[in-house]
């Protein structure tokens, strides 16, 4: 691969070494190493990171002055500055804080990402928890609630997003679960809803305000741990309505009244399935529910209305996420599709799918809409954050991948396995379980290079220059060159079972660890230089400053140093007690080596004096017991950083200060980061930043502080951007093509500049002339308008004085009229009170008369009921006769329709063929004309674009002048409106007084009428409710019986069809046997005839027994006829038949006997089942007949009651509520008739014989 270095300072930079390099190679000459920047006394301060009150030490005090102050406190040595990744197992993980701020979880922190400034602010999780499980953002976008898995009970942290402060931590002791699976705020932000996990699945309602967050109610939403509840949300219109959904058909509608949960009944006749998500949509109580089989169920007013589907021909896909916006809602699929639904103009269609987009092949976990509803944020299962322009979704191309943009950069979808950094560039390289290599720029906070491999990578090392990266696989190691946008192969090294890789500090060597063998290769030729064989399996390798020696940490608990020039072991030591090592870190001079041990301890190796002499040896110094397992180490000058291996708790970075004699007994500083164990950590070459990778796929970047000999900390100076090299590797052909393209573009730019300058001069001259004309014209008009304005202003002042005088006179008149009306209405009210008392007495008298009339109506109703029942039976018989007549007529019409249909189809085919031929000729002509018009249209468009641009420029100037004219006219109109407003106000006051008088009279009249019928209607409503409830339950029971009978009837049809098939098969077999039997009989007859013929010929031969010659001739003839000729005939028959007839006959007979016996058993079993079913159906028919008689009686009673109420409603037509009740009873009676008709109870079928 032809590669070359490109950059403005290429020659100087190639002669420079990395900051930590002392010599070029073993035995080489020393070179000048770049020294780290010295800390001066100037007060150089870096910006502080956001701090959260009450958080751990990772969020406060990591920055400050760079001067070493003796009175400085002891702050933590790490501060999380940036994080790459997304925590995918969180419910509702993404939210918009505002148009530019996105909130999402990463590791054990919450990220506030500003898309405009491209920076982050981190909110760490609670220290004594097991990880973040759910997020919820208040509608005001000020309060953020973070649910975390607790040690015993789940905890909720409440944060102020605007001021970046933690307000409080709350928990519900009766939750009986350590996890909250979902949280949601009400539309007004006054209530918070939390759904706990199994086995109790407790739904808790919290009252939320600025001062307190307290639980006010709870209920259970599931009956067991197998039926998982996925989410619970508030209605956007009413916080008293809640919907919860989950697996195994869980769907609950709840109403909150006085902090008590009450179930809302609803009817959903569908097979239960797992519901993945739901969302309230629109301004009404409408809900969209997503099932695992791809159904989108639409509910309105707690009733199932319709199934929402995609466009015709689209693939059915399960919906994993839903989000609502003003025009409709967006559905994210389990296979990466994005469907946009909008409100349909047809009220029966509810919502229609307008567009379908394809994001990727992964599941879309969550969706959220920005406050302006212009942008949609998508979180997918491959831990990617993508934005979509929702405002332009109706015009976007569904097949265009440019519709979607990455929010910040791409992340690892699975855990990070290894990590490395370099000296000359701000880069880190990582490999993950998702087979990806990623190279990150931690200054610009982007992923520069990403490459996917077929094999899973196990390790990575970045060259100190930042131009090469070495990736290790189970079977080989690849050296890749980092180009501008890709990583290209340079060399491959065969290395089976490599577990660790690292570059030398100078970058000229790299070491591969294969079990107990450490092989050192030349970086640029990939040739083997040194081979070191240890006594046990090697875990890690540490290089000495100068790259002459290196140290190895063994899996068996040993540590050794090696000299590369001799390829021999210098020193070796073993820890006691002996235990395997995970990882190791050493100082630059290899005098101190720290190892992470499997027994939850850290062991130090170094030089130790032997006895009282000055001789030292390499031996274990001490062992430090840690609170949890340590899996990775990195050593600073006076600080040891370790990463935890705990899988049940979040991963922490521990900092052990190595200052003082008692450093081993001091508690290390603890800093949160990843949601699971830390897999790798690394320090930058300038020791100012620490990088860590976790098994959750996240990468954290920490700022480091330095520690002096007295234990004081100060912020280290970072490498400036100018000190980093700008060199990159490019292909030679790309470089030459770029130079050529640059020259062509420069020529084009020069031509365009000359042309544009000439056009601008012409336009300037033209616009100046027009501007002078317009100025003269509008200055004259402005003078005229000024004179008019002065005249109108004087007229306005005169009118204002006149209207003020009129208003004072009207106010005096209104006060006098108001006093008179008050006295008049007081006397009227007293008279109405006396009239009301008289009406109460009259009402009591009418109630007594109504009770007497009610008894008489009851007796007459019983008599009329019997007459109606007899008339109804006669009508039923007549209806049966009419139905039979309709069936006959229907059969005749169907026959006639089929004949006419055949004739019409033949005529239509002929007409279609004729029309097709004529339109094809027209299509050819139209295509030629269209092509010609396209050419002419292209020329016209170019001319039109130039003219349009000129017109728009002139219009802009004219619009400015028009705006000034418009302002003057508006001021005149406003003055005219003020005059009209005063007149209108006078008229409205007069009308208001008249309306109030009329309203008082109407309200008093309505009050009297309503009190008159209140008692009667309340009694009637209660009585009707008691009568309706038992009938509804009877109708439901009858429906279930009808459905059961339908299922049994289907089973009978299936069994009859199976028996018909068996009978057909037996008949075919019987026909075959009869044919074979006739063949056998014919064969027997032929054999008997053959025997008789042989006997006859034998008798004729025996007649010549006395003559030997005659006897010999007769025997020869018999032999010829019955032996030789018979053998030929048998051979021909065997060749044609090919089997033994007797054996075949016996086999067929045995087969038929078995079939006959089996059929006899089946017939006996079917007879038994038929008798049982016949008896059961007779009992059911009897029960249905009795039920039908009861329903007929109830139906007749309802008809009579409906007629009585109708008559009574006519008598009391002034009461609208009574009329509504009568109409409702009529509808219920009609519904009962329809249900009886559907169940076949009005016209029951005859009982089986």
């Amino acid at each position: 691969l032809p590669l070359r270095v490109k950059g403005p300072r290429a020659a100087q930079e190639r002669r420079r070494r990395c900051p930590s390099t002392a010599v070029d190679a073993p035995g080489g000459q020393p070179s000048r190493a770049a020294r780290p920047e010295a800390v001066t006394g100037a007060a150089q301060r870096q910006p502080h990171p956001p701090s959260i009150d009450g958080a751990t030490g990772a969020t406060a005090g990591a920055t400050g002055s760079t001067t070493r102050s003796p009175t400085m406190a002891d702050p933590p040595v790490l501060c999380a500055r940036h994080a790459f990744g997304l925590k995918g197992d969180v419910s509702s993980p993404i939210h918009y804080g505002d148009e530019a701020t996105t909130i999402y979880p990463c590791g054990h922190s919450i990220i506030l990402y500003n898309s405009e400034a491209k920076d982050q602010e981190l909110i760490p999780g609670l220290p004594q928890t097991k990880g973040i499980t759910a997020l919820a953002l208040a509608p005001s976008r000020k309060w953020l609630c973070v649910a975390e898995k607790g040690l015993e009970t789940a905890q909720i942290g409440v944060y102020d997003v605007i001021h970046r402060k933690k307000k409080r931590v709350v928990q519900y002791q009766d939750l009986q679960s350590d996890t909250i699976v979902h949280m949601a705020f009400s539309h007004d932000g006054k209530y918070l809803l939390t759904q706990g996990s199994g086995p109790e699945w407790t739904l808790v309602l919290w009252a939320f305000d600025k001062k307190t967050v307290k639980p006010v109610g709870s209920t259970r939403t599931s009956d067991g741990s197998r039926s998982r509840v996925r989410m619970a949300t508030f209605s956007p219109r009413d916080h008293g309505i809640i919907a919860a959904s989950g697996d195994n058909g869980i769907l609950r509608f709840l109403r909150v009244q006085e902090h008590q949960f009450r179930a809302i009944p609803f009817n959903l006749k569908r097979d239960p399935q797992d519901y993945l998500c739901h969302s309230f949509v629109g301004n009404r109580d409408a809900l969209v529910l997503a099932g695992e089989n791809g159904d989108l169920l639409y509910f309105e007013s707690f009733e199932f209305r319709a199934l929402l589907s995609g466009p015709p021909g689209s693939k059915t896909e399960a919906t994993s996420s839903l989000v609502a916006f003003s025009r409709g809602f967006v559905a994210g699929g389990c296979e990466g599709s994005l469907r946009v639904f909008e409100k349909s103009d047809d009220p029966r269609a509810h919502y229609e799918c307008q567009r379908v987009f394809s994001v990727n092949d992964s599941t879309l976990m969550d969706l959220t809409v920005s406050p302006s509803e212009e942008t949609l944020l998508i979180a997918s299962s491959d831990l990617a954050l993508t934005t979509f322009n929702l405002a332009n979704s109706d015009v976007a191309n569904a097949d265009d991948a440019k519709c979607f943009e990455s929010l910040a950069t791409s992340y690892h979808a699975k855990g990070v396995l290894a990590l490395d950094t370099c000296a000359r560039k701000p880069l880190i390289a990582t490999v993950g379980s998702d087979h990806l290599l990623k190279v990150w720029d931690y200054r610009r906070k982007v992923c520069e290079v990403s490459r996917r491999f077929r094999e899973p990578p196990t390790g990575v090392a970045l060259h100190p220059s930042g131009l090469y990266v070495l990736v290790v696989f189970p079977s080989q190691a690849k050296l890749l060159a980092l180009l501008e946008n890709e990583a290209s192969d340079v060399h491959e090294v065969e290395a089976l079972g490599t577990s660790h890789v690292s570059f030398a500090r100078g970058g000229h060597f790299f070491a591969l660890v294969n079990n107990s063998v450490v092989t050192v290769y030349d970086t640029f030729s990939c040739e083997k230089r040194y081979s070191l064989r240890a006594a046990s399996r090697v875990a890690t390798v540490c290089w000495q400053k100068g790259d002459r020696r290196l140290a190895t940490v063994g899996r068996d608990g040993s540590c050794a140093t090696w000299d590369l020039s001799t390829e021999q072991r210098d020193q070796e030591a073993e820890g006691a007690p002996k235990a395997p090592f995970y990882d190791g870190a050493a100082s630059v001079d290899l005098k101190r080596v720290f190892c992470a041990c499997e027994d939850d301890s850290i062991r130090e190796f170094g030089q130790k004096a032997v006895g009282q002499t000055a001789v030292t040896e390499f031996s274990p110094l001490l062992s430090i017991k840690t609170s949890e397992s340590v899996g990775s180490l990195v050593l600073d000058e006076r600080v040891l950083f370790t990463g935890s291996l705990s899988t049940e708790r979040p991963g922490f970075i521990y900092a052990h200060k190595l200052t003082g004699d008692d450093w081993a007994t001091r508690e290390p500083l603890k800093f949160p980061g990843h949601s699971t164990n830390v897999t790798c950590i690394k320090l930058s070459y300038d020791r100012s930043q620490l990088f860590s990778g976790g098994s959750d796929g996240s990468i954290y970047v920490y700022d480091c502080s330095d520690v002096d000999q007295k234990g004081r900390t100060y912020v280290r100076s970072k490498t400036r951007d100018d000190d980093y090299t700008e060199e990159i590797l490019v292909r030679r052909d790309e470089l030459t093509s770029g130079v050529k393209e640059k020259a062509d573009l420069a020529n084009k730019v020069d031509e365009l500049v000359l042309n544009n300058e000439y056009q601008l001069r012409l336009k300037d001259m033209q616009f100046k002339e027009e501007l002078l004309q317009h100025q003269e014209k509008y200055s004259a008009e402005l003078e005229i308008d000024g004179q008019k304005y002065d005249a109108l202003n004087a007229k306005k002042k005169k009118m204002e004085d006149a209207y003020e005088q009129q208003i004072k006179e009207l106010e005096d008149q209104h006060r006098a009229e108001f006093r008179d009306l008050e006295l008049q209405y007081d006397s009227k009210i007293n008279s109405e009170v006396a009239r009301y008392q008289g009406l109460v007495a009259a009402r009591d008298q009418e109630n007594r008369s109504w009770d007497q009339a009610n008894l008489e109506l009851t007796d007459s109703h019983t008599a009329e009921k019997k007459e109606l029942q007899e008339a109804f039976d006669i009508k039923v018989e007549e209806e049966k006769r009419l139905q039979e007549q309709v069936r006959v007529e229907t059969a005749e019409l169907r026959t006639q329709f089929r004949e006419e249909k055949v004739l019409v189809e033949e005529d239509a085919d002929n007409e279609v063929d004729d029309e097709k031929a004529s339109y094809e000729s027209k299509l050819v002509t139209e295509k030629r004309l269209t092509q010609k018009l396209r050419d002419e249209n292209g020329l016209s468009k170019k001319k039109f674009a130039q003219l349009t641009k000129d017109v728009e420029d002139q219009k802009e100037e004219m619009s400015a002048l028009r705006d000034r004219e418009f302002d003057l006219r508006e001021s005149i109109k406003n003055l005219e409106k003020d005059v009209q407003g005063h007149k209108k106000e006078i008229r409205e006051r007069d009308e208001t007084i008249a309306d109030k008088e009329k309203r008082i009279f109407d309200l008093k009249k309505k009050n009297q009428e309503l009190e008159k019928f209140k008692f009667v209607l309340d009694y009637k409503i209660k009585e009707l409710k008691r009568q309706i409830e038992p009938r509804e339950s009877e109708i439901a029971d009858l429906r279930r019986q009808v459905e059961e009978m339908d299922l049994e009837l289907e089973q009978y049809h299936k069994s009859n069809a199976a028996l018909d098939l068996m009978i057909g098969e037996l008949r075919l077999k019987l026909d075959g046997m009869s044919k074979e039997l006739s063949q056998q009989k014919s064969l027997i007859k032929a054999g008997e005839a053959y025997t008789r013929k042989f006997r006859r010929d034998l008798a004729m031969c025996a007649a010549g027994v006395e003559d030997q010659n005659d006897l010999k001739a007769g025997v020869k003839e018999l032999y010829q006829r019955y032996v030789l000729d018979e053998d030929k005939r048998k051979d021909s028959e065997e060749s044609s038949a090919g089997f033994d007839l007797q054996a075949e006959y016996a086999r067929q007979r045995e087969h038929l006997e078995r079939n006959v016996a089996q059929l006899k058993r089946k017939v006996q079993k079917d007879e038994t089942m038929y008798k049982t079913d016949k008896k059961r159906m007779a009992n059911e028919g009897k029960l249905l007949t009795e039920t039908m008689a009861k329903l007929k009686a109830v139906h007749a009673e309802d008809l009579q009651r409906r007629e009585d109420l109708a008559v009574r409603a006519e008598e009391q037509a002034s009461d609208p509520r009574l009329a509504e009740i009568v109409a409702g009873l009529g509808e219920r009676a009609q519904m009962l008739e329809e249900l009886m008709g559907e169940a076949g109870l009005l016209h029951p079928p005859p009982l089986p014989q």
Side-chain angles (χ1 to χ4, degrees), residues 670-733:
K670 184 177 179 182
F671 306 96
H674 306 277
S675 60
T676 55
N677 56 306
V678 181
T679 57
C680 49
I681 54 177
K682 207 76 172 179
L683 268 173
S684 63
Y685 274 71
D686 58 3
R687 306 291 175 177
S688 64
Q689 289 180 312
L690 177 75
F691 314 106
S692 66
S695 59
D696 57 353
S698 61
I699 302 168
Y700 270 74
V701 180
Y702 298 90
D703 284 344
C704 298
S705 299
D706 202 355
V707 183
D708 60 10
Q709 296 291 343
K710 297 182 180 180
R712 295 175 298 188
T713 59
Y714 63 96
V715 176
R716 287 181 176 174
S717 58
K718 299 181 181 179
T719 303
R720 295 177 301 178
D721 292 340
D722 295 339
D723 294 336
Y724 286 119
T725 181
E726 297 178 359
E727 297 174 348
I728 60 171
L729 296 178
V730 295
R731 291 187 174 88
R732 189 183 300 276
D733 54 354

Side-chain angles (χ1 to χ4, degrees), residues 234-254:
F234 286 101
S235 169
R237 294 176 61 252
D238 184 6
H239 58 67
I241 296 175
I242 296 170
S245 62
D247 295 348
N248 293 331
I250 291 180
L251 178 60
R252 304 281 188 272
F253 288 108
L254 304 173

Side-chain angles (χ1 to χ4, degrees), residues 913-937:
D913 294 335
D914 296 338
E915 293 292 331
K916 184 177 180 182
S918 62
Y919 280 113
E920 285 177 352
S921 61
K922 291 180 181 180
L923 181 61
V924 174
T925 306
E926 291 293 334
K927 284 183 178 179
R928 290 198 296 269
L929 293 174
T930 303
Q931 185 62 33
K932 184 178 179 181
L933 290 174
R934 281 179 181 172
D935 298 337
E936 295 176 356
N937 190 25

Side-chain angles (χ1 to χ4, degrees), residues 113-259:
Y113 177 74
N114 191 311
S115 57
E116 295 178 353
K118 305 295 183 183
D119 60 356
Q120 291 182 354
E121 297 181 16
L122 283 77
I123 301 177
L126 301 176
Q128 300 299 325
T129 59
K130 297 182 180 180
I132 300 171
T133 59
L135 297 182
L137 184 67
S140 62
R141 304 186 188 277
K142 179 181 180 181
W143 303 105
L144 176 67
C145 289
V146 182
E148 301 189 30
K149 186 175 182 180
L151 301 178
E152 296 181 356
T153 304
Q155 299 184 12
I156 303 173
V158 183
Y159 299 90
D160 186 347
V161 179
I162 297 176
H163 299 94
R164 309 295 195 262
K165 292 182 179 180
K166 183 176 72 176
K167 290 297 183 181
R168 60 187 62 87
V169 178
V170 296
Q171 60 182 2
Y172 185 62
Q173 297 296 338
D174 296 334
L175 186 64
Q176 299 182 2
S177 173
D178 60 350
T179 305
I180 291 176
V181 299
H182 192 266
M183 294 192 301
F185 273 97
S186 61
H187 68 283
D188 54 4
K190 294 182 179 179
Y191 291 95
L192 175 68
L193 198 64
T194 61
Q195 175 63 62
S197 64
E200 295 299 326
W201 301 104
T202 304
L203 182 68
V204 184
L205 180 67
W206 303 74
F208 192 93
D209 55 28
K210 294 182 179 179
K211 297 181 180 180
T212 59
V213 179
K214 59 182 179 180
V216 295
S218 64
T219 185
R220 291 185 61 184
T221 52
S222 178
D223 298 332
S225 58
R226 294 184 178 179
S227 300
R228 179 171 60 138
V229 180
R230 294 179 180 267
M231 62 188 306
T233 57
F234 286 101
S235 169
R237 294 176 61 252
D238 184 6
H239 58 67
I241 296 175
I242 296 170
S245 62
D247 295 348
N248 293 331
I250 291 180
L251 178 60
R252 304 281 188 272
F253 288 108
L254 304 173
R255 188 183 299 278
V256 181
Q257 294 179 349
E258 297 179 356
H259 299 161

Side-chain angles (χ1 to χ4, degrees), residues 1143-1200:
E1144 179 65 19
Y1145 172 74
R1147 187 182 64 78
Q1148 292 289 343
R1149 181 174 181 179
E1150 182 180 0
H1151 175 68
L1152 289 175
E1153 287 176 352
R1154 287 198 302 270
N1155 288 341
V1156 170
Q1158 186 177 3
L1159 286 174
K1160 286 181 180 179
R1161 289 194 299 271
K1162 286 186 177 180
V1163 168
Q1164 292 176 358
K1165 184 177 180 181
D1166 291 340
E1167 287 178 355
T1168 305
M1169 292 176 63
Y1170 176 73
K1171 290 178 182 179
T1172 305
D1173 293 341
K1174 180 179 178 182
K1175 184 176 179 181
R1176 182 178 55 78
M1177 291 178 68
N1179 295 332
E1180 291 179 354
K1182 183 178 178 182
L1183 178 62
L1184 286 174
T1185 304
E1186 295 175 356
T1187 306
M1188 183 181 67
K1190 293 179 181 179
L1191 288 175
K1192 285 180 179 179
V1194 173
H1195 180 61
E1197 292 177 2
D1198 289 340
L1199 289 175
Q1200 182 61 33

Side-chain angles (χ1 to χ4, degrees), residues 784-803:
I784 297 171
D785 290 337
Q787 295 173 2
K788 291 180 180 179
Y789 174 74
D790 294 336
L792 290 171
N793 196 10
K795 188 177 179 180
K796 173 193 168 188
K797 290 181 179 179
K798 293 179 182 179
M799 294 179 70
E800 285 179 353
D801 296 338
Y803 279 119

